[in-house]
Amino acid sequence: SQQGEEDPQALSIQEGENATMNCSYKTSINNLQWYRQNSGRGLVHLILIRSNEREKHSGRLRVTLDTSKKSSSLLITASRAADTASYFCATDTGGSYIPTFGRGTSLIVHP
Amino acid sequence: DAGVIQSPRHEVTEMGQEVTLRCKPISGHDYLFWYRQTMMRGLELLIYFNNNVPIDDSGMPEDRFSAKMPNASFSTLKIQPSEPRDSAVYFCASRYARGQYMNTEAFFGQGTRLTVV
């Protein structure tokens, strides 16, 4: 079964707006990762946040982690048409550190 | 490094034929993963290797699927015989995770789009 589940499944916004995607998971994690997948391409790593961290930034990306709620959010500020892609969260659990993926959020940014 | 390299990028084959997908991980990475992506099931982990040894193949759907990693720089995923329901995008990913460096990201190849007709 999949550990992380993203919400919403699909998101459509205008260029310049902020995009927020959420990820919920079921069991304790070592870390949580966010990836982007452009159509027809492989997944590209965006940010990794460890279980003892609460917030991380990378450029226009901001990730938060709430372990008490078993949830994470990815915020893309000032979105661009080039941000159009699917975004996945992946969790590492237990001692194996094997990333398990959710189904992803499909983001469309209209120019 | 050129990243994780998968071949072929596209494969169209007839039902019943053998299919072999190939992966070259990033040099120095000690974990290698094979995932399958479909619209219905999302990204599923099929099998992963640590230091060339298969650790967990519980995600391999059937005995028709097999994977090998003869050395640190090469892995194959074989389907024999192939069926139309095997049609999917197959991704290989690698990762360095050892000692104090366990919280690391995975690097994905571009995938192989398999169509079985």
Side-chain angles (χ1 to χ4, degrees), chain A residues 79-93:
Chain A
S79 63
R80 306 166 181 169
D83 295 328
T84 294
S86 292
Y87 292 81
F88 295 85
C89 70
T91 52
D92 275 2
T93 60

Side-chain angles (χ1 to χ4, degrees), chain B residues 18-62:
Chain B
E18 177 180 295
V19 176
T20 299
L21 310 182
R22 296 172 176 79
C23 175
K24 181 182 187 320
I26 292 174
S27 177
H29 283 192
D30 51 357
Y31 282 83
L32 184 140
F33 310 93
W34 282 101
Y35 288 90
R36 178 172 69 175
Q37 186 178 38
T38 61
M39 289 294 293
M40 290 293 294
R41 302 175 69 88
L43 262 168
E44 304 173 274
L45 177 67
L46 300 178
I47 184 172
Y48 78 92
F49 297 82
N50 180 217
N51 293 321
N52 312 339
V53 176
I55 303 300
D56 185 354
D57 66 353
S58 59
M60 298 283 259
E62 297 171 36

Side-chain angles (χ1 to χ4, degrees), chain B residues 78-99:
Chain B
K78 185 177 294 186
I79 308 172
Q80 165 62 17
S82 58
E83 296 182 4
R85 60 193 166 120
D86 301 331
S87 297
V89 181
Y90 291 81
F91 287 102
C92 175
S94 71
R95 180 183 202 181
Y96 178 87
R98 194 183 306 169

